[in-house]
Amino acid sequence: MSTEACLTSSSGAGAKLRRKTRGSFRDVNALTRIEMQQLLERIWIAQKFTAVLVTHDVAEAVALADRVVVISEGRIALDLDVAVERPRRRGSVELARLEGKILDRLFE
């Protein structure tokens, strides 16, 4: 299965950069995936662009997102703010708590 992400950013002049990426971070080994996620986070911190990431990986969602929306049966099942400071530390108590909340909702 392929995932498509669309990244959009705007400058003060109103110019927009749109970049589509096919594939997903799941297609690489675990350490490379974490490095790619950290790279994306560093770029986001520097450039403050808007990104929409579609993933089935709960850990990836809470590591990268400011907001996680879970869609089930065509409806929003959970809309969760991820108010954890960046850069985020994988394995932190805050991220584990949020992952647990999402997983609890998914397995209801």
Side-chain angles (χ1 to χ4, degrees):
M1 181 186 312
S2 176
T3 301
E4 184 172 317
C6 180
L7 308 180
T8 305
S9 98
S10 61
S11 69
K16 295 200 188 260
L17 167 67
R18 186 175 167 157
R19 187 171 297 155
K20 281 188 172 181
T21 312
R22 285 210 174 263
S24 71
F25 292 152
R26 71 174 166 79
D27 295 332
V28 296
N29 71 56
L31 293 177
T32 302
R33 180 173 46 252
I34 290 169
E35 289 174 349
M36 291 173 68
Q37 292 168 352
Q38 289 172 335
L39 174 62
L40 180 59
E41 184 178 43
R42 284 193 307 272
I43 293 168
W44 181 86
I45 288 169
Q47 297 183 10
K48 302 291 189 210
F49 57 88
T50 298
V52 176
L53 173 67
V54 178
T55 182
H56 292 98
D57 184 330
V58 175
E60 180 175 70
V62 298
L64 294 175
D66 292 325
R67 178 181 175 194
V68 174
V69 178
V70 176
I71 299 173
S72 178
E73 298 180 9
R75 296 177 187 238
I76 295 176
L78 179 68
D79 188 345
L80 182 68
D81 285 326
V82 182
V84 177
E85 286 200 34
R86 294 181 185 277
R88 295 188 177 152
R89 191 176 74 64
R90 276 42 170 200
S92 71
V93 172
E94 298 100 340
L95 293 184
R97 182 182 56 77
L98 292 168
E99 285 180 43
K101 191 171 190 175
I102 293 167
L103 290 169
D104 286 346
R105 177 62 184 95
L106 290 171
F107 289 108
E108 283 183 344

